[in-house]
Amino acid sequence: MKKTFRYFAVMMLVCGTLAVVSCKKEYNSVFPVTEDTRQFVNLTDAVPDAILEIRYFGTYNFVGDRVDGYLEPTALLTKKAADSLKAVSDDVKALGYRLKIYDAYRPQKAVDHFVRWAADIPDTMMNDYFYPDLDKSVLFEQEYIMEKSGHTRGSTVDLTLFDMATEKELDMGGTFDWFGVESHPDFCGNPDTGEYTGGKSPAGRSITEEQFAHRMILRKAMLRHGFKPLDSEWWHFTLKDEPFPDTYFTFSVRQLH
């Protein structure tokens, strides 16, 4: 039986210096790992209208650096997920929007990079932009960072809507990869009914009725075409009937030929 590990950060005195050490708590799980790209496509081959802003290829992300495994600023998905996303794109285009993609398939080496970064407690370079209300030491505990990601199975996508009339992203009331309750789909409303309820986060933040409605436009389109949401991120969706529910892929992100 193969084993994976949950990681947690601890402080240790090493040679007289306080240092962060990534420790491993072992638990059992079985999962295939493969470099096989045959069931993947370039997302823009399937959805040519999609706009790409691959955050982990650049430095504007919570790490503050290019993430391991992102060799080109492109997006990959399983063929099945890409076909479903094309149907979503057709729907939102009729409303005057296009899909803007932040991330899709994510190699395991990128997830490992996140784990190392989260264990390095003093590195808070991007704190003001992505997690100003949190102490970095709680990121593992609150599961903002985990050692496995659905993205690595190839049928998960992080995205938003681009308004063709204003030539700007639709205002969702928060940025991609914001660590906090403000990113939850049920923040200030009921995502099942689409009802706006208002309210504030513990940090005193809120979103408007219009911003909540914008989130619901994306959510309804994604759910209508077979994707399921995540209860902590309004931008994150996984194909319900994903073709590789137990497989983690390791190949780097680059254009497939």
Side-chain angles (χ1 to χ4, degrees):
M1 179 173 286
K2 292 187 178 181
K3 298 176 180 178
T4 70
F5 304 90
R6 287 195 182 280
Y7 289 73
F8 57 96
V10 297
M11 304 300 291
M12 289 186 63
L13 194 63
V14 180
C15 298
T17 302
L18 197 61
V20 177
V21 179
S22 175
C23 298
K24 299 179 181 180
K25 180 180 179 181
E26 184 178 294
Y27 71 98
N28 291 330
S29 180
V30 175
F31 56 90
V33 176
T34 179
E35 288 267 327
D36 190 355
T37 65
R38 287 176 295 176
Q39 294 302 313
F40 283 74
V41 297
N42 300 312
L43 188 152
T44 49
D45 287 346
V47 189
D49 298 311
I51 299 167
L52 303 187
E53 186 181 319
I54 308 304
R55 290 284 185 88
Y56 302 138
F57 179 78
T59 61
Y60 180 54
N61 56 58
F62 61 85
V63 174
D65 201 356
R66 180 174 297 175
V67 174
D68 291 354
Y70 287 82
L71 302 185
E72 295 178 356
T74 192
L76 311 176
L77 276 179
T78 61
K79 293 176 182 178
K80 191 170 186 179
D83 287 343
S84 295
L85 196 64
K86 174 62 164 65
V88 175
S89 177
D90 290 344
D91 273 11
V92 300
K93 274 182 63 182
L95 300 175
Y97 307 119
R98 293 196 182 195
L99 300 180
K100 185 171 186 178
I101 311 299
Y102 296 125
D103 195 33
Y105 160 70
R106 181 184 304 162
Q108 184 57 44
K109 66 191 75 175
V111 179
D112 296 341
H113 190 165
F114 293 166
V115 168
R116 293 194 307 273
W117 167 83
D120 185 3
I121 303 301
D123 180 0
T124 56
M125 177 172 58
M126 302 302 285
N127 172 275
D128 291 348
Y129 305 100
F130 296 101
Y131 52 102
D133 304 328
L134 293 176
D135 188 286
K136 190 178 178 183
S137 64
V138 306
L139 297 184
F140 286 113
E141 173 189 337
Q142 297 188 17
E143 297 189 341
Y144 288 105
I145 301 294
M146 300 182 70
E147 80 288 345
K148 286 294 170 187
S149 169
H151 283 273
T152 310
R153 302 193 300 265
S155 295
T156 294
V157 60
D158 292 335
L159 75 173
T160 190
L161 295 174
F162 185 89
D163 189 335
M164 295 302 293
T166 64
E167 298 183 354
K168 297 179 180 178
E169 287 182 20
L170 204 58
D171 183 1
M172 299 294 191
T175 186
F176 164 64
D177 264 353
W178 176 272
F179 295 168
V181 296
E182 298 88 350
S183 294
H184 295 188
D186 64 356
F187 180 59
C188 291
N190 184 332
D192 295 326
T193 64
E195 178 188 7
Y196 177 75
T197 57
K200 291 186 177 181
S201 69
R205 304 179 193 275
S206 186
I207 61 173
T208 67
E209 184 172 4
E210 182 180 41
Q211 290 165 338
F212 181 77
H214 290 168
R215 294 183 181 191
M216 293 303 102
I217 295 171
L218 174 63
R219 181 185 178 93
K220 289 176 182 177
M222 295 296 287
L223 269 59
R224 190 159 50 242
H225 293 288
F227 289 88
K228 59 184 179 182
L230 184 67
D231 62 8
S232 58
E233 297 174 351
W234 59 259
W235 57 80
H236 176 116
F237 298 88
T238 299
L239 190 67
K240 286 182 181 178
D241 190 19
E242 59 180 309
F244 303 105
D246 302 309
T247 302
Y248 290 86
F249 293 86
T250 55
F251 59 87
S252 294
V253 175
R254 65 192 312 167
Q255 281 284 314
L256 300 176
H257 301 288

